[in-house]
Amino acid sequence: MQITENTVVSFHYTLKNDAGEVLDSSEGREPLSYLHGSGNIIPGLEKQLDGKESGESLQARVEPGEGYGEVQPSLVQDVPRDAFQGVEDIQPGMQFQAQTEGGPLLVTVTKLEGDTVTVDGNHPLAGETLNFDVNVESVREASQEEIEHGHVHGEDGHQH
């Protein structure tokens, strides 16, 4: 069966940056399952999986615009330390959920200088070209409930 809209796809992957460093992998875990055509994975990878079949392998190069986007400088901000009430020891790499006009945003602390904390709301892989090695494990028709909910249910995915 070919990967088309409203099919459930399970695949193993290894993700590397342009320097060849492994950023993520499904090795040693269950394959990743998603509902094709529902925006459950980054657009550039989903497009390159379209039409593939169970048992196929591919190498997919995804530019930032089709991945996690370009770095948006407006999402990097300096915040007063006292905005982190109840947090004694703020360190770079810590993540917090910030409330913004557009809703909640996950931010990462990138720098501390005196009473100023620099936070970055960009996805950690924003601006990165992503290189995937993918092995398609299985492809099946999605159930009507999966299509209505926009994601995989059951053994391969989400349970309500």
Side-chain angles (χ1 to χ4, degrees):
M1 169 177 268
Q2 281 193 328
I3 297 173
T4 60
E5 188 169 346
N6 295 330
T7 56
V8 171
V9 181
S10 294
F11 66 93
H12 278 290
Y13 68 93
T14 298
L15 169 60
K16 297 177 183 175
N17 61 15
D18 274 346
E21 300 167 313
V22 174
L23 303 175
D24 193 14
S25 176
S26 63
E27 187 176 331
R29 301 184 303 203
E30 292 295 314
L32 177 68
S33 297
Y34 77 99
L35 178 61
H36 194 78
S38 291
N40 298 154
I41 64 173
I42 60 172
L45 181 57
E46 187 170 53
K47 286 177 186 175
Q48 292 182 56
L49 283 166
D50 201 52
K52 301 293 187 238
E53 296 182 2
S54 180
E56 283 193 64
S57 295
L58 71 139
Q59 292 185 326
R61 183 173 171 85
V62 179
E63 298 298 328
E66 292 280 300
Y68 293 100
E70 298 292 346
V71 172
Q72 297 179 45
S74 64
L75 293 179
V76 178
Q77 296 190 349
D78 290 333
V79 180
R81 184 183 281 267
D82 61 11
F84 297 86
Q85 294 177 2
V87 181
E88 297 275 330
D89 186 28
I90 300 170
Q91 296 293 322
M94 292 177 85
Q95 294 186 317
F96 297 91
Q97 186 167 315
Q99 297 304 321
T100 70
E101 291 175 7
L105 177 68
L106 186 65
V107 298
T108 303
V109 175
T110 58
K111 185 170 65 171
L112 294 159
E113 280 187 359
D115 288 333
T116 302
V117 179
T118 303
V119 296
D120 187 346
N122 286 287
H123 187 282
L125 297 177
E128 293 272 349
T129 298
L130 308 172
N131 300 287
F132 290 90
D133 289 320
V134 177
N135 295 309
V136 179
E137 297 294 313
S138 65
V139 182
R140 67 168 173 81
E141 293 283 337
S143 70
Q144 190 58 43
E145 184 180 45
E146 288 171 322
I147 294 168
E148 288 170 6
H149 290 193
H151 57 250
V152 178
H153 290 179
E155 281 185 28
D156 294 330
H158 180 75
Q159 287 280 15
H160 285 279

